[in-house]
Amino acid sequence: MTSVPRPPQPPSSLSPSRASDFMQCPLLYRFRVIDRLPEKPSEAATRGTLVHAVLERLFDNPAVERTAGRATALIPGQWDRLLESKPELSELFSDDAEGERLTRWLAEAERLVERWFSLEDPTRLEPAERELFVETELESGLRLRGVIDRIDVAPTGEVRIVDYKTGKAPRPEYAEGALFQMKFYALVIWRLKGVVPRRLQLVYLGSGDVMTYDPVVADLERVERKLLALWDAIRLATETGEWRPRPTKLCGWCDHQAVCPEFGGTPPVYPLSVRPAESGQGVQGTMGPVRAGTGRPAAVEGP
């Protein structure tokens, strides 16, 4: 049975990925959230999804069995599961008749997984949560949501939020941008649980670096103010239909050049009425595994 596409709707919440999209280029945000234009799967992003799945599943094993060999042995099965859930990923290697490119791609995933063992010792970790879906609504009515790779809780109750990155660590001048996602998650946890995470930790498997940051309340308050201003800008664009492109060097990797004015294209007809988006009803925040099935709007979920 063919699924019927859900009609375009105004944005109703904000995730770290979609917030970053709007800051990068408002028109890109519109294409992804409102128009929901299709995008081709990429080898890099898919490899990241695969590595994340392997690191999540490894913790199903007893501590003494969490070895590099056990982890890399999970890769073929997790790749099969990805293909089953997202058949379109087979397009990545449709022209690879001999399987050479796929073999190299899987080998790179193995190297990333093996490098993790030089950065953390999973035999000494017992995550409180893995791939955790979190959501809360601020007093302003803005709903924040996202998926946290791992949460560790110390015996003393201190919380550490951990995120795996399969790329390389950014240069110091770009560190603040890299921490934005982590501070977003810390804000959600703070608003949900009344606890400021003790540490935010980014594990860069591409370069073998670990970046840590210990937030304080003032950090999270600044992030909240930034998100509220960002949401005001998104609501204004939704009301007016004015989604302006913001050209950067990242445009070369964008899937939507054919419909972008910066490349001589014409965006699709704006699918929403030009009027203020209706505000949702206030609800309690929630926390739960992303795979539990939440029925949240797909247009605003993070990757």
Side-chain angles (χ1 to χ4, degrees), residues 241-256:
E242 292 289 331
W243 301 90
R244 301 192 178 192
R246 182 174 297 146
T248 69
K249 61 182 180 181
L250 297 175
C251 291
W253 285 272
C254 183
D255 279 348
H256 308 302

Side-chain angles (χ1 to χ4, degrees), residues 1 26 38 40 58 75 79 112 117 136 146 150 190 207 227 254 278 283 291 296-297:
M1 180 181 296
K40 297 177 181 178
L58 182 65
I75 291 176
W79 173 231
L112 294 171
F117 285 81
T136 193
R150 197 179 88 216
W190 180 41
S207 57
L227 292 173
C254 183
E278 295 180 2
V283 297
R291 56 184 176 276
R296 304 305 199 271

